[in-house]
Structures are given as structure tokens and as C-alpha cells.
């Protein structure tokens, strides 16, 4: 199990979201409420976009997020209009930087919570399905990174929802041929630095939790007394494995087997 | 909060105690039951004595114990008749090897669970009380290591119970002069490789949990069907922050403000 | 031995100085030319100031700089008008984050190359000379950090040259009383985010190497064909343990037993 | 470039070989003489067999060997009759535990110095040649580990020299089809805990250095005054990337394109 967060909106200092909310992502590294495990201490990562159109920065570490000083420093001094953060609880693969999310390819980032069931049984066949030109960019040993490269192979850069759908179909097909009833369990966020796509799906129809923040205009009407809401742009959205804080009306559960996209204009 | 374990008896492979029991110390790194926190993920250490009379080995790491592969390897291949193990939950000081327990000085090892309250306020005065010849051996920044060097200064090598009593007296005296009502909270184990001394104390009279295993002869009578108990020497004893496994009659709570010693002959 | 770099001038992406020059600081972590050792692989650190007047960020790691991916990411995405970077070769103290430079206190940063000779012999007496309110902020075990806290005790924030002079005097006095002929060897840079003070000194009068970059206006006249020099502000200065690149006229050796200051206006 | 060492003979404390010789393997991590690089600071590993016939222990770390305290502790307290040690200089793949040597499969260990040229170009095809049942045991991303799994696929456990020869043939065949003139450069040691096989080969016929120690009986005649040689069993052999110490007559260069085996009885 893991926990992740995606932010898109007015540029903010990362720690505003990663540390300051009551039930922040960093707090979830020790005290997750909605996951299979309460502890997510097998490394973390954050990927952020700057003001320009270059590739995102990725900072990943194998140490638990809760006491990592470098994460605190970076989060306290970097502002970004779009970032993904992830805290990891390994389901068996090694605790190493190349297994920490987000994974990056060119301008794209990818975070995943969940697993490919019976991964050792299907790993080779899934790896073979990755395009030859992409294969050597795989650096780690996780199912999560392999899902990213399968999605890239299947057209992520042109059609994210279609590519993820095809990726899921492939994993389910391969898994079932190998005798696995429910091959995939996932929430995923991916972004090219402009839009964020979030997915919630599982073969068994009981997916890991996923929430997205309410429209800022609605929230302002609900909470006219909160000054921070006045400062935030209308476009600001947060997608999370589990809600931050307890603001009534702020969080909505993503439906089963659904996806959403956050971008300028309508979501 | 931390958790620790001390073993003295027939030589065993470390993993027999660190990994295999139902509620092993490594399991407690993720799921402690009796502590202030359930997670002890800020590093770990194990110190063990070999067959000869040399100084003990100490293996310490800042990574969580639960997924540390080197700990698993060492624990699976090293046998010892006497060892201490510790999993750490930092109360504020840095996560670094020199802050991991056990601390070592010559033939002596030391593990601690608890804290010196308002430590920043009294640290300098306590550090000044350490003997000049010992001072430069302090490598880390924890209260726990400082307690060790105070006890060494006050005669640990000649009279462990007396030295620890004097150390506690000093810490309480300094703390109260600085306005701290309950200056110290502790369970401690220390050993010279022959005997193990364990202490349970707190200024407020509500000390962290501490248990010791029952006499092996008694356990054999209670559980004649358990083959492992037949193999273990009469002298074998385990002292732990919280019980391993659920064997009825196996564990006894150490009384408040008490100490015990495990050695050849009578304990 | 260590190597360090201080930059003050037009805001630049850190990697422009840390990675791109021919004989960059990161290159010096593997191939130092002027130091006692060619390898500086015992950790590194970089501290930088942002656009505002807040405290600097500090990113430190115990891994060698040459292959550290997070350093590369941070350096590639962070711009700063004033930063210090340091690569470490331990002279005996533990390889841990709290022993990596730069050290920070409030708005101040500090890097050091050199050593206090016979440090174990004088450590306690020097530690006692640190002001009580500063003492508990010491987190590591190096001579370098202790020099910083001594300088702070002796007025660094009001009068940097005077405070460093008094610190040197104290260390030489204590060292000689303990029988050390040449107690201190140092190059130091310290900054409050506005000015940078650099010092070169050793008791024996043979100090570690130190260089500062020439006035940008002079360099432009020498090299009218170099476009980068046209973009850099007149105020830009770099101070380094050993020169970066081989641009003729670009580097000047700092005299023995000297200090310099870089700030807006005249240096 | 990397450096490695294989030992087979009377059980010895690891540090006797890893630390104590004049030009020990740990010394080579900072000051290699015969390699492409003088520094081997991108992690290390040691794998050792105990008295029994169980699988070997493997201790690997991403920190430089020269200052790693846990390596020093383990090496100072573990005795073994057969062990492999390796210090790494990455040729581009990530610095992570799963890329450190020795690699282990069941009872087998494997260390490698050298490289597969143009590895990104041939990685996928080589990975596909690994047997399906072995594929999921690959944890890292190096050419070295892949060579091990290819050799296992091609019969390492039954016929080590034949399997390594076939592995080399496969790598050369695949490499040349992809346009690489000299696909492989290697010295390799592999062992099942009873025998050690060492190989020296390169497609261009200019292989990395490899030395083996002289027969102990011969050495005793050459140096009747060295007491340590009297204590060592006749069967003791050491194979190294570069000689330890400067004992005349002690080291022999392995011929180009050769292999040797060390086992009980004749070598």
C-alpha cells in the first residue's frame, strides 16, 4: 500500500500541502487511516514542475518521509504549480530509489497505489510487452514502474485515458491467463506538466481509496471565513489517496472504475 | 519511544529471536503494542558477543528494521550467547547511525527506551558532568548516549546498579533545578558480555513497560510439549520492552523502580 | 580535506557552477588536484538563499556527490543568487548528515576545509567555550561545526572578521596549552545571505588553497568573445578551494592569513 | 571499473584480508592502482559461507567501503573459509544495493569487473535470453547481474566453465549483431561454496587485471620467516583484481582468456 497526492493550481510552497494540513501526506507516512497498512515508511518521492516548460525535477529517497530532513528543506523552499508526491509501503520489492515514485519519462510523471497480483508470475511477459526503445529506461523492479512503461508503450503521451485502459486490459489478460482472478488493483496519477489524469480501478471492483478536492468556488461559499481559500485560484485542485484535514465539503470520493482530468478550463 | 531486547543463554542464531517469534522485535518496529507510538522506524541496532572475550560487534543502521536486508542477513548467519537489539523512534534528535543503540564503550553495551525531559535545557550541564577522558568518545546527540557516559563516569564498570542509581540522581537533580518535574523516564539494559543488568524507572513512577522471561525450568514444566524449551539451557533469559509471542507463563512484568541482573548462576 | 565553493551574484541554476565547469566542484569530489586527498566522497552539502529574506535551505547527504541523483535534481532546478557548496573528506569523525557542511544557524551558513589538530584532546574545552544558549544547537561531532559555534559565541553575527579572529585565537590558545604546535588549519566561508566572508589561515602559515574569481568587468575585457560573461552582473564573485576551469586571468589566489568579503558595492 | 577478491582456505576473520594487508581491498576503494579509475566508491558487498552447507550470507551497501562502519564490524567478527568481496565503480547504472556484488542465487555467488559495451542497446535481448523461472529473481539493473543469470540459464550449476563460455558467446553474438566490435570485458569469480571459478576474458584480448596467490607450500619455502604462512592451510588461495601487499613471489597474473578453479585437492 502507498499514499499519494497530486496538486495543480496556483504555485505554492510544497510544504503547505505536504506538511501543514492536519492529516498531511507526511503524517500519513506514520498514520494512514484508509489504507491496508498504517505505515508508509519504505521511501518517498516528490516530482515538481517549475515555471518553465522543462522536464520536472524528481526527489526520491529510501528513508521514511516523516523524519527526512532533505525533504523538509526542499519542500520548504520550492514552489510549484503542479506536483506529485508519494509515500511508499513496499509489497515485496526492494527499498531503493529506483523503486520510489514518481517515475519520470521525459515530461511525464507517474504515481501508483496498489499492485499487480502474482507479479513474479507475470513480470517477464509484461516486460516483453514494453516497447524496445522504452525498455532500457526501466531502472527499478516494481510493478508500478512497469505499468508506467506499458502505458507509455500503449500511447500514454497521446491519449492517457485510452492508454491506461489498454494497459489495464493487457495486465488483466496476462494475469488471467496465468490463473490470477483479480490481476490489478490501482489508483494512479499521471501528468505531462499541464494536465493531471487520475484513475481508480481494480479487477475486483473494490479499489483503493481516492478523493479529489471540491471546486474552489464552492468551497469559498461554504467557508467564507477561511482566508486561504480566497488566495487560491479557481483552478486549484488536489487529488489524494485519503483526505487531508477535516474541512466539511472539501473532499469527494472518486467513483469506482473512473478517471478524472485536471487542466486549465473545465476539469 | 523505542523497543529493545536482551538475550543471554545458549548461543542462538539472532534471527531466532529477532524475526521468528509471533510478535518479534522486528514486528514491533511496525506494530508495537505497548509503546507510545506503534512505529519504531528511525533506525535500529544489534550488538553481540562472540565466543571469545573480545569487544562486542555492533551493527547499526538508520533504515527501518522491518525491510533492512543487511540486518536479515547478519541475523540469519550470526550466533551469539549474549546480545542486545534495539529499534528506535526518535524523540527529536537526528536519525543517524551514531544515535542508534546499542552504544558501546570497550566491552560494554547500552540500550535505552525513554527520554530525558527538556533535554535541550539540561544537555550542556549533563555533558559537563561526563569525565574528560570519556567525553570525546561521545559521537551522537541523544540523551540515551549521554546517560551511558554519565553512568560510565559514575562507576558503571565497577558497580552497575550503583552507577545507574547515581546517574538517575544526577539527572533528576539537574532537571529539577531547571524546572522539570519528572526529569527521566527509562528502561535500560547494559552488559559487559558476562552479565546483563536491566533497569526500569521513571521520575513520575509510571515507567515504560519491561518484561523478563520466566525461569526455563518452570517453563518446561508448564509446557512439556514444546521441544525448543528442552534444547535451551537453564540459564537462558530474555528481557524485552514488550513480550514476544503469547506463551502463557512465559513473561513477567518487571516491577516499578527495580533492576535485575542475569548472569551465570543465580539471577 | 574538503573542497568548497561560494557564489554570490546574478541568480543562477546551481548546476551551472556545481556540474558544468570543466573542473567543477562535483568533479573535484572524485578528482581534486590541490588537496591532500584526491577523493572527497564522505558526503556533501549545499545551502542556498531564495529570493526572499528567509533562512537558507540546506541539502546534505552522506553519499558521494559524484553519483547522487537528488543533488543533481535539486541543482538542476533551483536558482539562487547566493549559495555555498561543500564536498567532504572526513578526517575521522562519523560520516553522517549532521557532520556535512554547510552548517546553519538562523540566517547564517558556514563551510570549512582543514582541521583542528589533536581535536579529541581539546574538544571538551572548546565545547565548554560555546555559549550555553547555542550549545544545544550543535548536532554533529566535527571540529568544523564547533568552530562555527565558537565564532557565533564570539560575535559572528555582528563582526564576522573579528569573531573569526577571536575564534582562531581561542583555538590556538587551547591547542598550545595542550601541547599542539600548529592547532588550526582552515579555509572558511560564512554568509548571512547578503555578504560572504572568506578566510584563509593556518597556525603554521601554510594554509589550504583558496581562490577568488576576478572582477567581472576585467574578465569581460580579457575575453570579449565569451557570451556568458556578458550576462553576468558586475557584482558576481566565486570563491573556491581550487579553480574551476582554465580561463586565463579568471582566478586569483587568496593571500596567506587573509580574509575577503563579497557584498553589494565594493568587495 | 571495480575491484574484487575471492578467498578459499582456512577459516579467517574477514578483516585479515579486507583491511589488514598493505594494499587491501578496502584501501583499493580509495586508491586502486591497476584499474581504469582509482576510486571505487559506488557501494560494496561481501558474501561469505559459514561452517555449515547453508546458503551464503550477503552484506551489501551503497556507501563507500572505506568509511563504512558496519562493514568494519562485520568483517571484524565473522570468520569464513570461503568468501567473495567487491567494491564498485558504477559505469552508469544506479547506485543501489541490488546493483552491488556479489549477486546470489541459491548457494551461488558471483562478482564481476568489467562491462557489457553498449549495454542499453542489447539489454532487452539479453534479458529475454534468461530462463523464465530465473527472470523474476533479477533485482537490479546492471550488466553484471544479467551476465550471472545468463550463465545460470546456460548451465552454471552443472558446468561453470562451459556455462560462462556459452554466456560470453551469447553476449558477443548479440553485441556484434548490434554493431559493437568488442562486446564484453570481464573478470569474474563465481562459487557454490566449495569451489571457486575465476575467469579473465575480453573480446578485444586486453582484459582487466587478475591475479592469484602462489601455492602456500612454495611461499613457505620462499619466506620461512613469515609466521602467518605457517598457520595457513596448504589449500589456501586468494584471487584478486590487483595484488595485496608486496610479498615477492606471492602473486601470479592470470593469463588472457583463461580460467582457473580453486577447490579441495588440486587446483
Amino acid at each position: 500500500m502507498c499514499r499519494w497526492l497530486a496538486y495543480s493550481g496556483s504555485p505554492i510552497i510544497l510544504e503547505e500541502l505536504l506538511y501543514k494540513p492536519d492529516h498531511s501526506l507526511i503524517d500519513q507516512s506514520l498514520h494512514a487511516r484508509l489504507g491496508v497498512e498504517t505505515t508508509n515508511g519504505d521511501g518517498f518521492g516528490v516530482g515538481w514542475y517549475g515555471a518553465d516548460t522543462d522536464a520536472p525535477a524528481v526527489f526520491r529517497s529510501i528513508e521514511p518521509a516523516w523524519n527526512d530532513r532533505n525533504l523538509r528543506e526542499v519542500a520548504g523552499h520550492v514552489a510549484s504549480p503542479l506536483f506529485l508526491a508519494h509515500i511508499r509501503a513496499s509489497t515485496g520489492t526492494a527499498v531503493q530509489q529506483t523503486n520510489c515514485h514518481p517515475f519520470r519519462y521525459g515530461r511525464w510523471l507517474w504515481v501508483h497505489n496498489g499492485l499487480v497480483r502474482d507479479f513474479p508470475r507475470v513480470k517477464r511477459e509484461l516486460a516483453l510487452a514494453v516497447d524496445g526503445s522504452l525498455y532500457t529506461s526501466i531502472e527499478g523492479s516494481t510493478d508500478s514502474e512497469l505499468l508506467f512503461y506499458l502505458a507509455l508503450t500503449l500511447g500514454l503521451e497521446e491519449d492517457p485515458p485510452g492508454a491506461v485502459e489498454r494497459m489495464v486490459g493487457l495486465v488483466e489478460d496476462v494475469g488471467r491467463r496465468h490463473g490470477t482472478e483479480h490481476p490489478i488493483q490501482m489508483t494512479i496519477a499521471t501528468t505531462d506538466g499541464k494536465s493531471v489524469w487520475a484513475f481508480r480501478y481494480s479487477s475486483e471492483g473494490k479499489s483503493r481509496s481516492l478523493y479529489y478536492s471540491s471546486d474552489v468556488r464552492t468551497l469559498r461559499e461554504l467557508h467564507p471565513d477561511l482566508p486561504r481559500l480566497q488566495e487560491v485560484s479557481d483552478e486549484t485542485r488536489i487529488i489524494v489517496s485519503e483526505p487531508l484535514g477535516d474541512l466539511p465539503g472539501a473532499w469527494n470520493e472518486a467513483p469506482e472504475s473512473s478517471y478524472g482530468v485536471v487542466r486549465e478550463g473545465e476539469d
Side-chain angles (χ1 to χ4, degrees), chain A:
Chain A
M1 195 208 67
C2 309
R3 304 279 88 177
W4 58 260
L5 172 155
Y7 174 86
S8 172
S10 314
I12 58 165
I13 297 285
L14 304 187
E15 71 175 359
E16 292 292 326
L17 264 187
L18 296 185
Y19 286 90
K20 294 196 176 168
D22 271 353
H23 186 53
S24 73
L25 192 72
I26 303 308
D27 181 55
Q28 293 174 32
S29 68
L30 266 178
H31 305 290
R33 294 172 185 162
L34 303 181
V36 179
E37 277 279 4
T38 57
T39 309
N40 295 279
D42 297 324
F44 68 84
V46 56
W48 72 90
Y49 295 83
D52 53 22
T53 55
D54 285 354
V58 174
F59 175 70
R60 303 189 292 182
S61 168
I62 60 171
E63 277 153 54
W66 62 77
N67 265 333
D68 192 275
R69 295 191 174 194
N70 287 325
L71 176 60
R72 181 128 219 155
E73 293 290 319
V74 168
H77 291 83
V78 165
S80 170
L82 197 162
F83 61 94
L84 303 186
H86 185 277
I87 51 177
R88 184 169 183 240
S90 167
T91 53
T93 44
V95 177
Q96 57 190 24
Q97 264 185 42
T98 56
N99 284 350
C100 292
H101 311 219
F103 303 103
R104 174 177 58 191
Y105 182 80
R107 285 192 54 76
W108 288 77
L109 294 177
W110 177 276
V111 291
H112 169 233
N113 170 28
L115 77 165
V116 173
R117 289 210 177 75
D118 303 318
F119 183 53
R121 205 148 64 187
V122 295
K123 183 177 183 182
R124 187 167 181 267
E125 188 164 343
L126 294 177
L128 295 199
V130 173
D131 186 79
S133 66
L134 294 166
Y135 182 87
T136 54
S137 296
I138 298 176
E139 287 203 303
S141 56
T142 61
D143 48 0
S144 304
E145 187 188 24
L146 198 45
L147 297 181
F148 182 31
Y149 280 88
L150 287 171
L152 283 163
T153 299
L154 297 166
L156 183 70
E157 290 163 293
E158 292 76 42
D159 170 20
V164 170
E165 187 184 341
R166 288 186 289 275
M167 176 274 282
V168 166
L170 174 68
V171 173
E172 292 195 320
D173 179 52
V174 171
R176 283 172 185 150
R177 271 196 285 105
H178 284 81
T180 302
E181 192 180 358
H182 301 307
I184 193 166
Q185 167 69 258
M186 69 181 219
T187 67
I188 281 170
T190 188
T191 174
D192 61 357
K194 291 176 195 151
S195 304
V196 179
W197 292 264
F199 302 85
R200 184 180 184 216
Y201 180 77
S202 59
S203 306
E204 62 267 44
K206 292 182 186 171
S207 302
R208 297 284 191 267
S209 60
L210 189 65
Y211 293 81
Y212 59 97
S213 62
S214 301
D215 185 278
V216 171
R217 286 156 291 212
T218 313
L219 276 176
R220 281 198 205 103
E221 286 172 32
L222 279 169
H223 303 278
D225 49 323
L226 287 185
R228 185 175 297 175
L229 288 173
Q230 311 307 320
E231 299 161 13
V232 165
S233 82
D234 289 357
E235 307 277 356
T236 296
R237 286 277 185 161
I238 308 170
I239 312 168
V240 285
S241 295
E242 50 189 83
L244 320 175
D246 299 309
L247 193 64
W251 299 100
N252 315 280
E253 190 170 9
E256 267 291 336
S257 305
S258 70
Y259 81 90
V261 57
V262 176
R263 60 160 63 102
E264 276 189 72
E266 276 309 291
D267 295 343

